[in-house]
Amino acid sequence: MVRLFIIGVDCFPIWILVIPVIAILQYFVFKQRGFRKFLMTLVFAFYLIGVFFVTGIPTFDSLRIELHFQWIPLIDIVNEPVEYLKNTVLNIILFMPMGFLLPALWKEYRSFKATLFSGFATSLLIEILQIFTFRLTDVDDLITNTIGTVAGYYLWKMAAKRIVKQSSEGYEAKKRFGRYEPIIILTAMFLIHFFLKPLVLNAVWDLVL
């Protein structure tokens, strides 16, 4: 709980920066005018920033190369079964919003394969980036994150009728970008995290202290 509070405090000033970025993308790049769509897209962007914080994605001032790999699935369950189970559950929960929000926001991702691949690719990108941190690059994280994406997708399927009805506005105007919009948003959030996070947090802590 304390860790979540600290992450929330650290994320808050970055989330403020995210709002105008999403507004610019939504209204000028993707040509969307729906306020509900803007709010849902903002939630997706906030979620990505949170994932980057939790998984320890590097920033420009923290780059290092730490070749810590775990390629053998399930091996840690023998050595630390309780900790392994805890991490497994957390990893699944972490990526459930990914599996839910992608099909909820973009009908191009309403197929199982599209959402599955997106969750897998995002998790793989995170694991590769963790090479440049002190974090362990673990195949189990890739597996459990993908499972979380699938779980989130089926949660969306259970609520599909309501989601489709409430989030349909603007789809006709965004067909050109539907497939690429989440990729563009993810890239923008990564750039904010990589370049602006250390600058903003240092400035905030300087003001506080």
Side-chain angles (χ1 to χ4, degrees), residues 65-84:
I65 296 181
E66 298 284 348
L67 300 179
H68 297 157
F69 299 103
Q70 175 56 268
W71 299 115
I72 305 175
L74 305 178
I75 191 171
D76 288 335
I77 197 173
V78 177
N79 301 322
E80 299 177 332
V82 176
E83 189 66 22
Y84 181 87

Side-chain angles (χ1 to χ4, degrees), residues 65-109:
I65 296 181
E66 298 284 348
L67 300 179
H68 297 157
F69 299 103
Q70 175 56 268
W71 299 115
I72 305 175
L74 305 178
I75 191 171
D76 288 335
I77 197 173
V78 177
N79 301 322
E80 299 177 332
V82 176
E83 189 66 22
Y84 181 87
L85 180 60
K86 175 184 174 182
N87 289 335
T88 296
V89 172
L90 291 176
N91 283 335
I92 291 174
I93 293 174
L94 180 64
F95 265 69
M96 286 177 67
M98 174 75 69
F100 187 94
L101 290 171
L102 281 174
L105 280 164
W106 297 283
K107 64 180 180 180
E108 291 82 2
Y109 289 82

Side-chain angles (χ1 to χ4, degrees), residues 35-65:
F35 185 68
R36 185 185 295 118
K37 180 62 164 45
F38 168 74
L39 288 179
M40 293 183 68
T41 305
L42 196 59
V43 169
F44 181 70
F46 285 170
Y47 162 71
L48 291 175
I49 291 292
V51 169
F52 293 157
F53 268 82
V54 170
T55 55
I57 294 301
T59 57
F60 76 89
D61 64 340
S62 66
L63 287 174
R64 68 184 75 180
I65 296 181

